[in-house]
Amino acid sequence: MSNTTENPRWRTLLWAIPAAIVAVAAVVFLARWLREMPAVADFLARYPGETHLPETAPVGIPAWLGWQHFFNAFFIVLIIRSGWLVRTRQRPPAYWTRKNTGLLRTKGAPKRISLDLWLHQSLDILWIVNGVVFIVLLFATGHWMRIVPTSWEVFPNALSAALQYASLNWPVENGWVNYNSLQLLAYFTTVFIAAPLAIVTGVRMSGAWPSNAEKLNRIYPVEVARAIHFPVMLYFVLFIITHVALVMTTGALRNLNHMYAARDEVSWLGFWIFAASVVAMIAAWIAARPVILRPIASLTGKVSR
């Protein structure tokens, strides 16, 4: 007899799946019931789900944003994977020690870290560089107006969009011109709140933080950073799952053309660029193994087992 049902994790999963289905069905039923109420119908008519952009807001999605989107997705997927390994792997496959030379020379011996943490922090640096380029281009081209709230009406409109999604009568999508208010708040939260939180908490836990700064360490304890960093990672996972699901279910070909081909049309070009990006991410995921990482890490430090 199989011991699957004797495993507590499998029992939890077996209960979680039908419970999740029932919960989703209950949310849909409740949202549809609410939409039949006159007051809610009036609310949806007053707040259709999106706000008007400033007159100077740009229209369309430029090619640089598509490249930024790819690099951001590429790095964040690998960052989540490496961060999870740092958190869960009991015995790292190798360790890395920074070379104590040149501008990086310190008084004490450099701290030894796991190869997983070296990969995580290396990817963090690349992700931050990509993010800085993104922010500069965002404000230089005026595209910040598409993901930064410019009116308090964004909040009731976001509630309206959420109710429309929950009732499965989704708001009309036209991301080429304007995101709905729920999308706008999600993008704003991801770019201007979650990403900075991931950075400042990651820096606090890294070897770059000055360990002998007693006053600074009391003001910003490492325990606080750890308590924030992991939930932020979970937020990114939830955002990615939701984002991909909505892209695929609200006009996949057109959405992928917006994001990857910088075109407002329904064709397969954006899909094939997206498919190539997924292949690149899968290849990087598979390649991120000790046998490949060790020689790369040894270029900047000493790798030991």
Side-chain angles (χ1 to χ4, degrees), residues 47-52 146-147 149 151-162 164-165 171-173 178-189:
Y47 301 105
E50 68 177 28
T51 58
H52 295 291
R146 289 170 55 88
I147 64 169
S151 169
W152 288 107
E153 289 194 350
V154 68
F155 295 104
N157 275 287
L159 178 60
S160 171
Q164 293 176 62
Y165 280 122
V172 177
E173 297 289 337
N178 189 11
Y179 298 122
N180 69 54
S181 294
L182 192 60
Q183 289 176 303
L184 188 154
L185 289 179
Y187 296 149
F188 175 81
T189 300

Side-chain angles (χ1 to χ4, degrees), residues 190 212 216 242 280:
T190 302
N212 57 350
L216 187 58
T242 305

Side-chain angles (χ1 to χ4, degrees), residues 12 17 45 48 74 79 81 94 99 117 123 129 155 207 222 224 234 236 276 301:
T12 301
I17 294 175
F74 181 86
I79 285 172
R81 177 183 183 271
K99 293 179 180 179
L117 184 55
L123 291 167
V129 171
F155 295 104
V222 68
V224 173
L234 294 180
F236 274 108

Side-chain angles (χ1 to χ4, degrees), residues 141 161 170 208 221 252 294:
T141 60
W170 292 358
R294 286 193 189 101

Side-chain angles (χ1 to χ4, degrees), residues 77-78 81 278-293:
V77 166
L78 295 178
R81 177 183 183 271
V278 172
V279 171
M281 285 186 274
I282 293 174
W285 182 291
I286 296 173
R289 296 182 177 182
V291 65
I292 295 177
L293 295 178

Side-chain angles (χ1 to χ4, degrees), residues 70-81 127 198 236 240:
F70 162 70
F71 283 119
N72 184 64
F74 181 86
F75 291 135
I76 198 66
V77 166
L78 295 178
I79 285 172
I80 291 172
R81 177 183 183 271
W127 181 62
F236 274 108
I240 291 170

Side-chain angles (χ1 to χ4, degrees), residues 239-262:
F239 173 81
I240 291 170
I241 293 173
T242 305
H243 180 58
V244 172
L246 290 178
V247 166
M248 294 302 177
T249 55
T250 59
L253 292 182
R254 188 180 184 189
N255 290 335
L256 292 174
N257 267 318
H258 290 176
M259 298 163 60
Y260 288 94

Side-chain angles (χ1 to χ4, degrees), residues 8 18 23 50 63 65 68-69 74 90 125 156 183 191 221 227 251 253 257 287:
E50 68 177 28
L65 192 57
Q68 284 288 316
H69 187 275
F74 181 86
Q90 297 296 323
I125 294 173
Q183 289 176 303
V191 174
L253 292 182
N257 267 318

